[in-house]
Amino acid sequence: SGEEDWNKKVEDEVVHQEKVNDWDRKVDQVEKELDWDRKVDQVEKELVWESKVEEAEVQIEKENEWDRKVDQVEKQLAWELKVDEAEKQIERETDWDRRVDEAEKKLEQEVGSS
């Protein structure tokens, strides 16, 4: 009877140890899954970050393009202003030339009539 009790205790201990081992395996599996979930979350965060970086790069490129267009318009306006200024200068010089011509004619008429 003592031997049966001992065998029963040993058998109970073996069954208990198998349950503990099984439980340990389940815990390990859950830890692996949690670790995997964390890695997936990290990758998702990195992908979101990369997406935001790409969006920012696209936005910067659009702003750079806009800046180039603004620069081009400013250069065009500056050029048009120079053209306008040159045209006004030509008008002033032409007007001056006309006045000189008129003065010379008057002078010739006065000299010729005297």
Side-chain angles (χ1 to χ4, degrees):
S1 143
E3 192 176 323
E4 286 177 12
D5 286 347
W6 176 252
N7 286 342
K8 178 71 173 139
K9 284 182 181 180
V10 168
E11 192 176 303
D12 287 349
E13 183 58 32
V14 167
V15 167
H16 175 71
Q17 194 58 46
E18 286 175 354
K19 286 180 181 176
V20 167
N21 290 344
D22 189 44
W23 180 251
D24 285 348
R25 280 192 296 276
K26 287 179 181 175
V27 168
D28 284 349
Q29 184 60 35
V30 168
E31 287 175 345
K32 285 178 185 172
E33 288 173 8
L34 288 174
D35 190 45
W36 178 251
D37 286 348
R38 280 192 296 273
K39 288 179 181 174
V40 167
D41 285 349
Q42 186 60 35
V43 168
E44 287 174 345
K45 286 177 185 172
E46 288 174 9
L47 289 174
V48 167
W49 177 250
E50 286 175 11
S51 173
K52 288 180 179 177
V53 167
E54 286 173 10
E55 287 173 18
E57 288 172 345
V58 167
Q59 186 61 33
I60 289 168
E61 185 54 39
K62 285 180 183 174
E63 290 172 6
N64 287 343
E65 183 63 28
W66 178 251
D67 288 347
R68 283 192 290 274
K69 288 179 180 175
V70 167
D71 286 349
Q72 189 59 39
V73 168
E74 288 174 343
K75 286 177 185 170
Q76 183 67 31
L77 289 174
W79 175 251
E80 288 174 10
L81 211 61
K82 287 179 183 175
V83 168
D84 284 349
E85 190 56 42
E87 288 173 346
K88 288 177 186 172
Q89 184 63 31
I90 289 169
E91 285 174 16
R92 286 193 292 270
E93 290 173 5
T94 302
D95 187 49
W96 177 253
D97 288 347
R98 195 176 73 256
R99 286 185 186 174
V100 168
D101 285 349
E102 286 174 4
E104 285 175 347
K105 286 178 186 173
K106 266 188 185 178
L107 191 58
E108 284 175 11
Q109 287 171 358
E110 288 175 7
V111 169
S113 63
S114 56

